[in-house]
Amino acid sequence: MILSVATQFPTKRPTLQFGACGQIVKEMQKALNQRLVQLDTVSAYPLSVSTTGYFDRETRDAVKYLRVLLS
């Protein structure tokens, strides 16, 4: 039997939400794009978000997509 233990690691990064903006959002968008490319190995043009630094609908939809895909 394998037991799974959830451990919380403290982070100094803020919780990002719709409407947030700044460099931290840009970093998240870049990370989203990297993950989307890793997961989509068949499309000629994988899903990606613009790295605008603004947490907009496009970014929110990509976060939701990954959450569903990885759950």
Side-chain angles (χ1 to χ4, degrees), residues 2-67:
I2 298 175
L3 295 176
S4 150
V5 178
T7 306
Q8 291 185 353
F9 295 98
T11 179
K12 295 185 193 261
R13 295 189 182 261
T15 300
L16 299 174
Q17 59 189 8
F18 187 79
C21 60
Q23 184 61 35
I24 192 74
V25 177
K26 260 189 182 179
E27 291 174 22
M28 180 192 67
Q29 290 168 328
K30 289 176 185 176
L32 276 171
N33 284 332
Q34 289 173 350
R35 191 66 173 136
L36 289 166
V37 167
Q38 289 172 346
L39 294 171
D40 186 357
T41 58
V42 294
S43 297
Y45 301 100
L47 178 66
S48 67
V49 297
S50 302
T51 53
T52 61
Y54 181 71
F55 198 138
D56 55 6
R57 288 182 187 166
E58 180 183 42
T59 302
R60 181 193 62 199
D61 292 347
V63 170
K64 286 181 177 182
Y65 173 76
L66 282 178
R67 199 158 108 195

